[in-house]
């Protein structure tokens, strides 16, 4: 385990309005896919097709949270959270998805009573409008995210939600991880709707053009929904709204100029693709070079809507990648990722998923990079770990989730260091996830929960990590301190980020900040 040691021994307090809680998403937990008038989402049939999920699992039952929602709220209350991040299923609100299709009162009623119950429990709802579950009808009607039509339909759906819930919901996320929507859904074809140029995977699709079109339409849909919120709801509802992007820190494999550049290219495609237009008003130069005419252009009018369309920086992050220039994977900026350092050692502790290792220093560096580049308060809306082979353990063993505890110990320390020592303005932290749940293409084999779910009985068992996090935030959020608001020392932030590119050295484990092997 690697612990940043630049922290003062007495951990500094987080400001009293710091939000923390757990995150989930509708399709991953709700189940009950054909009740109360819900329309189909693109994940319904996709996950039922043989070979699309590792264990053949689908979303029909999941953690049965559509029925067990009171238990979920009781669990949140027991953990002492201040907030809960969950998503609304578009196809429960508008079963056929479109702006001329009927709204489903039962869908509204369901989330309405859920929000009321959260508020009654003293928990702030933090609501994602779109976590990958596009209404199937829109995919069938015009190709879903491939078609500019989606912008109007998504905006309409968002407005229905603002109208129904915005009196009570003050924290909105328009989209979860558009990189995944585009690349995994229309490029690699591993997520619904599963389109790809690979004809062994999909009968149709063009991985060289579709992801960039989809990404463009996702940005526009987000931006026009935010415009509607600001013009029609914000003055009375007084909430905040933004997008949440996935993105992991990128370290050069070594200090060769090509690999240093590769790390920046990795960040440009993983993060800048969305963040640069939304916060800075243009696509990254590198993406324009790489894609030429395949990267759609914004009109002047669109750009005016896109730029500045997020009130904060929403961030989902899990790991750090070592980056080597080369290869032809445009989805990673023609960069190869590895966790193996030049001397053969591993960057951190390996998770159940191949793409995930523990590396808290990278989290701290990423927070600094994003704050320096985009200059807005950061809401960490996901961060989490799947313990290797947890699914093959007994429940008693699985709830002793040591590697997940160590992951969160490192990540929370890194976040505190970023706030207190680097002056990064971080306002929320939502570990993924409240529960083990339907892990998309991994099915139920991969467990990210701080609560173990026994799928045979649907019983929930708190893991050690839930206790660790509950205690950490109980002890570290101040009741009395005013919000920490000192502007960061820009030069130190700059030096810090630069050091990320220069100080990776073999197995010494001394990258970025002083570290100690525990
Ligand atoms: C999040 O995505 C999701 O928001 C959440 O629903 C999910 O349950 C959670 O993570 C855990 O996976 O190139 O195919 O190797 C995490 C961001 C970005 C992680 C893409 C995996 C590499 C996939 N993901 N990344 S691949």
């Amino acid at each position: 385990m690697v612990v940043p040691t630049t922290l003062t021994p007495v951990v500094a307090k987080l400001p009293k309005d710091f939000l923390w809680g757990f995150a989930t998403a509708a399709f991953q937990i709700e189940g009950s896919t054909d009740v109360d008038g819900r329309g189909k989402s693109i994940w319904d049939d996709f996950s039922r097709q043989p070979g699309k999920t590792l264990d053949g699992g689908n979303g029909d039952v999941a953690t049965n949270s559509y029925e067990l929602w009171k238990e979920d709220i009781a669990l949140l209350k027991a953990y002492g959270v201040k907030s809960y991040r969950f998503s609304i299923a578009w196809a429960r609100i508008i079963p056929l998805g479109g702006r001329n299709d009927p709204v489903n009162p039962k869908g509204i009623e369901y989330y309405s009573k859920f929000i009321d119950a959260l508020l009654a429990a003293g928990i702030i709802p933090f609501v994602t409008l779109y976590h990958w579950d596009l209404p199937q009808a829109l995919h069938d009607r015009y190709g879903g995210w491939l078609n500019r039509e989606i912008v109007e339909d998504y905006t309409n759906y968002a407005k229905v939600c603002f109208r129904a819930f915005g009196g009570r919901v003050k924290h909105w996320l328009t989209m979860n991880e558009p990189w995944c929507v585009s690349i995994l859904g229309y490029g690699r074809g591993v997520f619904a709707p599963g389109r790809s140029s690979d004809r062994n995977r999909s009968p149709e699709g063009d991985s060289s053009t579709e992801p960039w079109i989809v990404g463009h339409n996702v940005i526009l849909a987000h931006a026009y929904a935010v415009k509607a919120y600001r013009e029609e709801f914000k003055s009375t509802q007084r909430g905040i709204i933004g997008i949440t992007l996935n993105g992991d820190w990128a370290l050069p494999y070594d200090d060769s100029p090509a690999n240093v550049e590769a790390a920046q290219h990795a960040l440009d495609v993983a993060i800048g693709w969305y963040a640069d237009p939304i916060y800075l008003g243009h696509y990254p130069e590198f993406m324009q070079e790489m894609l030429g005419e395949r990267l759609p252009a914004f009109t002047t009018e669109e750009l005016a809507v896109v730029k500045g369309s997020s009130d904060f920086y929403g961030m989902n992050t899990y790991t750090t990648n070592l980056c080597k220039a080369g290869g032809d994977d445009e989805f990673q900026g023609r960069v190869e990722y590895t966790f193996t350092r030049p001397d053969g050692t591993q960057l951190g502790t390996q998770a159940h998923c191949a793409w995930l290792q523990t590396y808290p220093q990278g989290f701290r560096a990423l927070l600094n990079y994003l704050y320096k580049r985009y200059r807005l308060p950061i809401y960490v809306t996901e961060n989490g770990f799947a313990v290797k082979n947890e699914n093959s353990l007994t429940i008693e063993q699985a709830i002793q989730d040591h590697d997940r505890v160590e992951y969160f110990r490192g990540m929370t320390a890194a976040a505190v260091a970023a706030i207190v020592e680097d002056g990064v303005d971080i306002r929320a932290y939502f570990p993924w996830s409240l529960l083990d749940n339907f892990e998309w293409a991994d099915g139920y084999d991969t467990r990210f929960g701080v609560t173990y779910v026994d799928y045979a009985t649907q019983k929930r068992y708190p893991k050690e990590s839930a206790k660790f996090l509950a205690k950490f935030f109980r002890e570290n959020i101040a009741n009395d301190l005013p919000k920490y608001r000192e502007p960061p020392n820009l030069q130190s932030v700059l030096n810090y980020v630069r050091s990320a590119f220069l100080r990776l050295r073999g197995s010494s484990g001394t990258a970025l900040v002083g570290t100690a092997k525990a």
Side-chain angles (χ1 to χ4, degrees), residues 28 131-132 176-177 179-180 184 188 246 316 318 355 382 432 439-440 448:
Q28 296 181 268
H131 201 123
W132 308 350
N176 182 73
E177 302 189 348
W179 183 95
C180 293
L184 303 181
R188 297 205 173 128
N246 56 296
N316 292 353
Y318 285 80
W355 54 268
E382 280 182 32
W432 181 273
E439 181 48 30
W440 308 111
F448 269 93

Side-chain angles (χ1 to χ4, degrees), residues 186-416:
Y186 299 78
R188 297 205 173 128
V190 295
F191 280 9
R195 294 174 66 88
S196 164
S197 293
D198 178 354
R199 290 289 164 262
N200 294 320
R201 209 172 255 294
S202 170
E204 43 187 52
D206 180 348
S207 305
S208 72
T209 54
E210 291 186 3
W212 319 113
I213 296 166
V214 166
H216 196 75
N217 288 331
V218 171
I219 292 171
L220 289 170
H222 147 80
Y224 279 90
V226 170
K227 181 178 192 286
Y229 184 74
R230 288 177 178 166
E231 288 176 358
E232 299 168 45
F233 300 92
K234 187 162 172 119
S235 65
T236 51
Q237 299 186 348
R238 307 203 169 276
I240 55 171
I241 185 164
I243 193 166
T244 200
L245 308 179
N246 56 296
D248 296 323
W249 185 236
L251 279 173
Y253 178 70
D254 54 27
D255 47 22
S256 76
N259 291 338
V260 172
E261 200 185 23
Q264 184 59 52
H265 290 170
L267 293 172
D268 286 345
V269 178
I271 294 173
W273 175 12
Y274 295 97
D276 283 11
I278 289 170
Y279 299 105
L280 308 178
H282 54 78
Y283 278 124
E285 218 172 281
F286 169 70
M287 288 194 68
Q288 299 179 33
E289 276 163 31
M290 180 176 79
L291 300 172
E293 297 203 325
R294 287 181 291 142
L295 188 65
F298 295 107
T299 65
T300 316
E301 187 207 314
E302 287 170 347
L303 208 54
V305 178
V306 168
K307 188 179 179 185
S309 60
S310 194
D311 291 337
F312 51 84
Y313 192 95
M315 162 166 122
N316 292 353
T317 191
Y318 285 80
T319 194
T320 292
N321 295 299
L322 297 177
C323 296
K324 266 189 225 180
D328 56 5
D329 186 351
E330 291 182 336
F331 307 149
Q332 290 175 189
R334 297 194 182 126
V335 171
E336 286 165 7
Y337 290 170
T338 178
F339 289 128
T340 307
R341 293 191 181 95
D343 70 355
T345 59
Q346 293 297 291
L347 192 65
T349 305
Q350 181 61 49
H352 194 67
C353 321
W355 54 268
L356 175 50
Q357 288 196 354
T358 305
Y359 192 67
Q361 300 95 319
F363 183 44
R364 181 171 174 184
L366 179 64
L367 288 161
N368 275 274
Y369 171 86
L370 295 174
Y371 192 49
K372 173 184 164 275
R373 189 175 173 99
Y374 302 115
R375 311 288 311 150
L376 282 177
I378 297 173
Y379 287 68
V380 181
T381 47
E382 280 182 32
N383 185 232
F385 189 83
V387 175
K388 202 166 166 56
N389 298 325
E390 192 174 286
N391 198 33
S392 58
L393 303 177
T394 63
I395 300 173
E396 292 69 27
Q397 293 167 331
I399 61 174
Q400 302 296 327
D401 55 339
H402 175 264
D403 286 356
R404 187 179 287 104
V405 170
E406 293 311 304
Y407 177 92
F408 284 127
R409 194 191 306 282
M411 291 299 189
T412 50
V416 169

